[in-house]
Amino acid sequence: TLTSKLPNLVSEGAYSCHYSLPVKAYTLLLVGGGHVNQAIATLAATVGLPIQVVETRPAYATAPLFPQAKRIVVRESIEETLNEVHVDDYTFAIVASHAFDQVAAKILLDRSVAYLGVLGSRHKAKSLENSLKLSKEQRQRLYCPIGLDIGAQTPQEIAVSVIAEILSLIGSRRGGHMRDSSRRLVVVRGASSLALEVATYLTTNGWQTMIIAEETVQQTHLPIVVATDVRHAFGVVSSQQTALLFDPTGEVLDQLDPLCIVDATEGKSERPSAKEDAPLVVGLGPSCSLESGCDHQVAIEGTLAGTVHSAKPAGQTQSIDEAVLALMENFIRTYRQ
């Protein structure tokens, strides 16, 4: 039975396929027709969000003010307007009118919208929580003040902040700097059990880990999420899960900026890893060594079941997983200095 919208991998003998449920489109509901929601509507249309607008004042909800809107509803009360629009758990709602923010917030949170942004201060947020007696689950869907913290002041700047926040939620991202997020990213290349084990071990130890495989991965018990594209993969790793992205040509690597590449392809890739691809490039596998011509700073020879000698006291060994983790942690301490 299909129950998840995330891509899934099914393997049967020599055959494998990916399947996923159709993903329903997100929609945007704007409550209030003031300058902020006008600016939000303009920007939302450019990223493909269908828009509905509701108001109690006819002059603030006209087609010239909201040419992007699929539907505009004006009634005497905000309750009437909200009863006429369809909302569900794929709806992002923004209330930008102090005249009816409490009433609208109560109705929309009870109707399970995915996101309710209310224009206002932190004091307004606390007032809403107390007066409406919100549950923990409802408080998690309430965003007040709205938007990412970019110092927005004008309606247009607030619109950028709000749409960025919505996109970060859709993409399961935190909304930080791309420069900084990539500095914890580790790309593990390869489809072998060695590559998968190392990747999940790194994730368990706090690293954002993305597996790039050029061939089909056999069904595995490991907690790995198959990603549909780079954006989805970043969403997976930002939620502390291991992402698996298929890339037969090896071109995806050029779109990433990882701190470290762990190459377990053993030189069989269409697009070999090079020292210029990341600050640290580690060659991994029984046939990988610096003498073999691999373009890596470090080579760890061995198999998953075996051990690798390192700079530990004489006679001590460590697993491949431990060796990679120790190598990366030592490197990052030096890299940050």
Side-chain angles (χ1 to χ4, degrees), residues 139 146 152 181 223 253:
R139 288 197 301 271
I146 52 175
S181 64
L253 193 60

Side-chain angles (χ1 to χ4, degrees), residues 35-36 39-40 119 150-162:
H35 295 303
V36 171
I40 290 173
L119 186 65
I150 60 172
Q153 297 291 329
T154 67
Q156 291 73 24
E157 291 170 349
I158 293 171
V160 171
S161 170
V162 171

Side-chain angles (χ1 to χ4, degrees), residues 176-194:
H177 298 293
M178 288 292 291
R179 177 199 63 190
D180 297 335
S181 64
S182 65
R183 294 296 86 178
R184 287 293 293 182
L185 176 65
V186 179
V187 170
V188 177
R189 302 190 65 196
S192 65
S193 58
L194 174 62

Side-chain angles (χ1 to χ4, degrees), residues 7 22 34 39 54 60-61 103 109 145 151 168-169 172 179 190 195-196 208 222 234 243 280 284 288 310 322:
V54 297
Y60 285 82
V103 175
L109 287 172
S168 73
L169 293 171
S172 301
R179 177 199 63 190
L196 303 186
Q208 294 184 345
L222 296 171
F234 269 115
L280 176 63
L284 191 63
C288 184
S310 67
E322 292 170 336

Side-chain angles (χ1 to χ4, degrees), residues 10-259:
V10 174
S11 298
E12 184 66 34
Y15 300 94
S16 63
C17 67
H18 292 88
Y19 67 84
S20 62
L21 291 173
V23 177
K24 188 175 179 180
Y26 293 97
T27 61
L28 182 64
L29 172 64
L30 301 179
V31 182
H35 295 303
V36 171
N37 270 351
Q38 290 173 31
I40 290 173
T42 299
L43 190 56
T46 66
V47 297
L49 286 173
I51 302 162
Q52 299 181 89
V53 180
V54 297
E55 249 291 1
T56 58
R57 302 165 295 178
Y60 285 82
T62 64
L65 290 178
F66 292 95
Q68 315 87 350
K70 300 291 185 182
R71 189 180 184 199
I72 299 175
V73 179
V74 180
R75 296 291 182 267
E76 290 187 1
S77 70
I78 201 63
E79 294 92 337
E80 290 179 273
T81 66
L82 293 176
N83 283 335
E84 291 195 26
V85 295
H86 173 75
V87 299
D88 56 25
D89 55 359
Y90 281 80
T91 301
F92 287 79
I94 298 171
V95 180
S97 176
H98 301 299
F100 37 70
D101 51 11
Q102 288 206 18
V103 175
K106 175 62 176 173
I107 293 172
L108 292 169
L109 287 172
D110 285 345
R111 293 178 66 181
S112 300
V113 294
Y115 165 103
L116 176 64
V118 178
L119 186 65
S121 63
R122 297 186 189 280
H123 176 74
K124 167 62 72 66
K126 184 59 66 176
S127 174
L128 285 173
E129 291 179 11
N130 293 336
S131 62
L132 299 180
K133 296 179 171 56
L134 301 180
S135 67
K136 180 179 179 181
E137 185 274 335
Q138 288 176 321
R139 288 197 301 271
Q140 290 176 339
R141 291 186 285 120
L142 173 64
Y143 288 76
C144 180
I146 52 175
L148 298 183
D149 185 5
I150 60 172
Q153 297 291 329
T154 67
Q156 291 73 24
E157 291 170 349
I158 293 171
V160 171
S161 170
V162 171
I163 295 301
E165 180 171 68
I166 289 174
L167 292 177
S168 73
L169 293 171
I170 291 174
S172 301
R173 305 299 296 276
R174 296 180 180 178
H177 298 293
M178 288 292 291
R179 177 199 63 190
D180 297 335
S181 64
S182 65
R183 294 296 86 178
R184 287 293 293 182
L185 176 65
V186 179
V187 170
V188 177
R189 302 190 65 196
S192 65
S193 58
L194 174 62
L196 303 186
E197 290 280 2
V198 168
T200 52
Y201 185 78
L202 293 174
T203 300
T204 302
N205 283 274
W207 290 87
Q208 294 184 345
T209 312
M210 191 181 300
I211 303 169
I212 306 296
E214 297 182 16
E215 58 189 77
T216 301
V217 175
Q218 295 299 316
Q219 197 166 14
T220 176
H221 67 282
L222 296 171
I224 295 172
V225 178
V226 179
T228 54
D229 53 30
V230 171
R231 178 177 177 178
H232 181 204
F234 269 115
V236 171
V237 300
S238 67
S239 61
Q240 288 77 54
Q241 300 179 86
T242 305
L244 170 61
L245 191 60
F246 290 99
D247 178 32
T249 62
E251 295 177 353
V252 166
L253 193 60
D254 296 325
Q255 302 178 41
L256 308 174
D257 182 27
L259 174 69

Side-chain angles (χ1 to χ4, degrees), residues 189 214-215 248 263-272 287 294:
R189 302 190 65 196
E214 297 182 16
E215 58 189 77
D263 192 326
T265 62
E266 300 185 32
K268 300 175 183 177
S269 171
E270 292 289 330
R271 195 282 201 193
S287 64
C294 296

